[in-house]
Amino acid sequence: MLRSIPDSIFNLYKPVSRWESFYLRTRWRLCPFELIESSLPSRGRILDFGCGYGMLSNLLAERSPERTVVGIDLNPKRLGVALRSVAERKNIHFHLGDVEGLHPSPFAAAVMTDVLHHIRDDQVEILLRKVYRCLDQDGLLAILDVDRTPFWKFCVTFTIDSLLNPTDRLWYRPLRRIQEMLKSTGLKTEKVIPADHGLPLADVLLLCRKNRDPDPRGDIGKT
Ligand SMILES: C[S@@+](CC[C@H](N)C(=O)[O-])C[C@H]1O[C@@H](n2cnc3c(N)ncnc32)[C@H](O)[C@@H]1O
């Protein structure tokens, strides 16, 4: 709990403004990036959709040179900070874009940390289908998101989220609803891990596997 950001990751971002420094340090303490990293394959291409400042992307790339990490985010300011962190490294790439920018390409895994509740229902379904098509046949999707229970933890999480993302509209869903959306996309939830890492947060980590059968909904909703 409350682990501070390792120097090896923080230093990638230097020089940083005060706000960037505050955000990077606070975000690291709130989000169980190390738990997520250890749940993902140690080799192959990994998509970090909604990567923000790219801290998880950087951790993934740093922990294993056999990974190639692709981070995508639609926020130019955040993506700009992420791009600055790349320097000469070859196993990490960041792109400005959104769901439209996702094209079928083989990824061993995809990850979305605190992204789903920034996206409205109809867009989430489109996003999940696109991510599904980007995954290898046995590909893994890791989702960190906020459950609605316990209610007091949800309230704490909501307050922190609103302070860190004051201009964003947020769509929180019960865990059950997220699992339904995953299932209808053809993604099987293999594990649900409480991810509050000792903090009063309602975060859960879902590890989902692409079914071996083809996308059950075929081209419905294809964009
Ligand atoms: C709470 S931040 C999380 C950032 C990062 N995943 C992390 O864990 O630090 C949510 C991010 O999702 C991005 N996002 C929201 N909707 C998106 C979309 N449609 N396409 C790409 N990125 C999106 C936002 O710009 C923001 O950077």
Side-chain angles (χ1 to χ4, degrees):
M1 63 183 282
L2 285 181
R3 293 203 47 194
S4 49
I5 184 168
D7 287 346
S8 58
I9 300 292
F10 188 75
N11 290 341
L12 295 170
Y13 291 90
K14 284 183 173 173
V16 284
S17 68
R18 274 198 195 167
W19 166 253
E20 288 163 359
S21 172
F22 168 77
Y23 187 94
L24 292 168
R25 291 180 190 284
T26 308
R27 182 83 193 117
W28 188 278
R29 285 172 190 268
L30 293 172
C31 191
F33 289 130
E34 288 176 318
L35 169 70
I36 300 165
E37 186 277 331
S38 65
S39 307
L40 291 170
S42 57
R43 58 176 61 188
R45 297 179 75 231
I46 299 186
L47 171 68
D48 182 5
F49 186 83
C51 61
Y53 285 20
M55 274 187 288
L56 176 62
S57 303
N58 274 314
L59 180 68
L60 291 166
E62 188 209 47
R63 288 275 161 94
S64 172
E66 291 180 72
R67 290 179 178 138
T68 298
V69 185
V70 178
I72 295 182
D73 201 287
L74 54 59
N75 182 315
K77 280 197 182 151
R78 290 185 181 189
L79 211 270
V81 175
L83 277 170
R84 248 175 34 215
S85 72
V86 173
E88 304 301 316
R89 290 175 300 150
K90 300 277 182 255
N91 73 330
I92 183 162
H93 309 273
F94 290 108
H95 301 291
L96 186 64
D98 65 2
V99 186
E100 301 300 319
L102 279 182
H103 302 292
S105 49
F107 282 98
V111 58
M112 293 189 258
T113 53
D114 280 330
V115 176
L116 278 199
H117 63 264
H118 287 255
I119 301 181
R120 51 173 219 263
D121 275 10
D122 56 329
Q123 291 296 314
V124 168
E125 289 177 3
I126 292 169
L127 170 62
L128 290 178
R129 281 193 208 117
K130 286 219 165 193
V131 169
Y132 180 96
R133 291 194 187 101
C134 287
L135 288 172
D136 284 344
Q137 202 52 35
D138 276 334
L140 181 77
L141 171 63
I143 293 181
L144 182 89
D145 218 276
V146 179
D147 194 5
R148 302 286 299 233
T149 57
F151 185 64
W152 74 274
K153 284 191 171 186
F154 169 71
C155 293
V156 176
T157 315
F158 172 75
T159 306
I160 294 173
D161 245 3
S162 307
L163 291 172
L164 283 178
N165 307 283
T167 56
D168 292 5
R169 218 182 132 195
L170 304 169
W171 287 269
Y172 295 101
R173 306 172 178 93
L175 177 60
R176 196 188 59 252
R177 174 79 188 115
I178 298 174
Q179 285 179 297
E180 281 167 9
M181 288 170 147
L182 289 163
K183 190 173 173 193
S184 75
T185 313
L187 288 152
K188 185 172 177 233
T189 306
E190 289 187 339
K191 266 190 195 169
V192 179
I193 304 169
D196 59 11
H197 61 138
L199 297 173
L201 302 175
D203 289 0
V204 284
L205 175 63
L206 291 98
L207 299 180
C208 319
R209 188 74 59 183
K210 180 169 174 169
N211 285 351
R212 284 170 185 279
D213 304 329
D215 183 349
R217 297 181 63 169
D219 282 346
I220 298 170
K222 191 172 178 179
T223 55

